Every structure is written in structure tokens, then in C-alpha cells.
Amino acid sequence: MRWPRVLICSAVAGFLATTVDATEGLGDAEAGKVVFAKCEACHQVGEGAKNKIGPHLNGVFGRKAAGLEGFKYSKSLKRAGNSGLEWHADTLSAYIEDPRAFASGTRMSFAGLKDPKDRANVVAYLRAFSDNPRDIPEADPTTKGTDHSVDPEILAIQGDPEYGAYLSSECTTCHQIQGRDDGIPSIAYWPDEDFVVAMHAYKEKQRRHPVMQMIAGRLSNDEIAALAAYFNDPE
């Protein structure tokens, strides 16, 4: 689980603990666009999006709850934001499942999406309107990558998390092991396969980032698998 990312009141944390698993399934952004039709009466997203009854949802990933300037939020969401709540794949899924249970006093009257697949799909759709997940593989994993394929034999390598911990010091020079962003996207609590695919995309220069290309280029397949195993659950 990704609790170090947000420090919120115990009541909200307890609610999240029962719902966060819904985001373990990766969503279909195209299907999410269809589901998002249920949200469009209150929220806009995409080019030219403006605040309506609810805030626009461009750039929502990584944003503090009640953090969009110019929109009047409920006191409950302001309290949550001031306590450290950020919008990421897990917290968004929990919120849209049952907004009033998540944040008592929220003005959002939506009954919620009870189907985990619908929530995963909407999260994947919204992710496209924040930083491009193809360019930032450390960002919240929401959809299966389509920009790079990896040999199944490489994906089948079972990484040694202890060896990954030994190798991780170069990664944690920049990335927060606790799962926080703090300006540099988190790589903690990723599914192993997503981490491996991203690193091999850098290794083969399919993704552009000179530093990441250099680091990935120095790593063997076994070392990448070990890092994936470690960062999957670094605690």
C-alpha cells in the first residue's frame, strides 16, 4: 500500500484501506472516457476545461486535495488537503467510489462508482490530462504501457529484493522511497512489470531522458528485475 504518500486523519485512512485495492487493476482510458460521461455535468477535462459545479480535472494527479486555485472547495476537502492528501491513482479511486464516505461534508453529490473496473478506467482516462504517463514512467501506474514491449523471458525474471535494496542508493538520491512526489515522481509501490518495462524503454532509448537512459543502460536484466522487486514493496 502507498500510505506514506498521504498523512490524513484515521477515519479517512481506514476508509482508504478498504478500497485502495481497486486500483491494482490497470484501466482502459478509452473505456474511461465513456464512463466519464457520468461526471461531465460537473467536471470538465481537456483543452479549454473550466471550473463548473466542480473543479476542472486537468492536472489532477499529484495535486493537493482542494489545491486548485480559484475554486471554492468544501471545508472537509480543505482539511484533507491541509493534512497532506494528494490525488493519485489510489486516492482518486477511493474518492470516486463513495465521495461522502471518503470526505464527510464534501459538496460532491455524486453517488459514486461501485465497479472497480469503472473506477480504474476513469483513473486511466484522467491520467492522460496530467503529466504524460508515457514520458514519466515513475508516475502513478494506471494503464498498461503501449509504447514499448519487453521480451517475455525478461519479464519472467524473478528479482531479488535484497539485491535491489543494495542497488537502490543511486535511485533514492532523487526519488523518495516513502512514495511521496516532492517534485520528483515516486517509483515506490509499482507493479514489477511496469517498472521493468519502463527501465527497458530507457535502456533501449525508446523514452527520452538522458540521465535515465544512462542509468538504465548500465543495468543488467537481473539488476532491473531486482530493483523492480525491491521498489514494489520497499518497507
Side-chain angles (χ1 to χ4, degrees), residues 4-66:
R5 169 174 287 168
V6 290
L7 300 175
I8 52 182
C9 69
S10 58
V12 174
F15 176 76
L16 280 171
T18 66
T19 58
V20 68
D21 287 346
T23 59
E24 289 183 357
L26 300 179
D28 179 339
E30 286 301 314
K33 181 177 181 180
V34 176
V35 179
F36 187 75
K38 298 179 180 180
C39 313
E40 289 178 336
C42 298
H43 298 280
Q44 290 187 352
V45 69
E47 186 176 357
K50 298 179 181 179
N51 296 332
K52 297 177 66 179
I53 296 172
H56 75 73
L57 298 177
N58 290 343
V60 68
F61 272 76
R63 192 162 72 205
K64 183 177 76 171

Side-chain angles (χ1 to χ4, degrees), residues 212-224:
M212 288 301 301
Q213 288 177 353
M214 177 185 68
I215 291 171
R218 295 201 302 254
L219 296 170
S220 69
N221 294 341
D222 287 333
E223 288 172 332
I224 290 175

Side-chain angles (χ1 to χ4, degrees), residues 26-122:
L26 300 179
D28 179 339
E30 286 301 314
K33 181 177 181 180
V34 176
V35 179
F36 187 75
K38 298 179 180 180
C39 313
E40 289 178 336
C42 298
H43 298 280
Q44 290 187 352
V45 69
E47 186 176 357
K50 298 179 181 179
N51 296 332
K52 297 177 66 179
I53 296 172
H56 75 73
L57 298 177
N58 290 343
V60 68
F61 272 76
R63 192 162 72 205
K64 183 177 76 171
L68 182 65
E69 293 186 12
F71 185 81
K72 188 175 181 179
Y73 290 93
S74 65
K75 291 181 179 179
S76 61
L77 275 185
K78 288 181 179 179
R79 285 195 298 269
N82 290 336
S83 297
L85 175 63
E86 291 182 351
W87 296 127
H88 294 279
D90 48 8
T91 47
L92 280 169
S93 177
Y95 184 53
I96 62 178
E97 180 180 7
D98 192 337
R100 292 188 179 276
F102 183 96
S104 177
T106 180
R107 296 194 184 100
M108 186 164 165
S109 59
F110 182 56
L113 295 174
K114 306 308 178 186
D115 186 338
K117 182 179 289 186
D118 283 347
R119 296 199 303 275
N121 291 342
V122 167

Side-chain angles (χ1 to χ4, degrees), residues 90-219:
D90 48 8
T91 47
L92 280 169
S93 177
Y95 184 53
I96 62 178
E97 180 180 7
D98 192 337
R100 292 188 179 276
F102 183 96
S104 177
T106 180
R107 296 194 184 100
M108 186 164 165
S109 59
F110 182 56
L113 295 174
K114 306 308 178 186
D115 186 338
K117 182 179 289 186
D118 283 347
R119 296 199 303 275
N121 291 342
V122 167
V123 165
Y125 176 64
L126 291 176
R127 188 68 187 83
F129 298 97
S130 291
D131 293 322
N132 192 332
R134 292 188 178 200
D135 295 336
I136 306 180
E138 299 87 351
D140 301 77
T142 56
T143 59
K144 291 186 176 179
T146 58
D147 62 337
H148 185 68
S149 60
V150 176
D151 189 321
E153 291 186 4
I154 293 176
L155 293 176
I157 296 173
Q158 295 297 309
D160 179 351
E162 292 187 5
Y163 185 38
Y166 170 75
L167 295 170
S168 68
S169 60
E170 188 169 33
C171 306
T172 55
T173 300
C174 297
H175 297 279
Q176 293 281 344
I177 192 63
Q178 296 90 351
R180 297 194 304 269
D181 287 8
D182 292 350
I184 298 177
S186 170
I187 55 175
Y189 309 104
W190 273 44
D192 290 19
E193 181 174 328
D194 289 3
F195 188 100
V196 171
V197 167
M199 290 300 289
H200 279 278
Y202 282 129
K203 188 179 179 74
E204 298 176 22
K205 296 182 170 52
Q206 298 294 318
R207 288 184 175 179
R208 292 176 291 177
H209 191 296
V211 174
M212 288 301 301
Q213 288 177 353
M214 177 185 68
I215 291 171
R218 295 201 302 254
L219 296 170

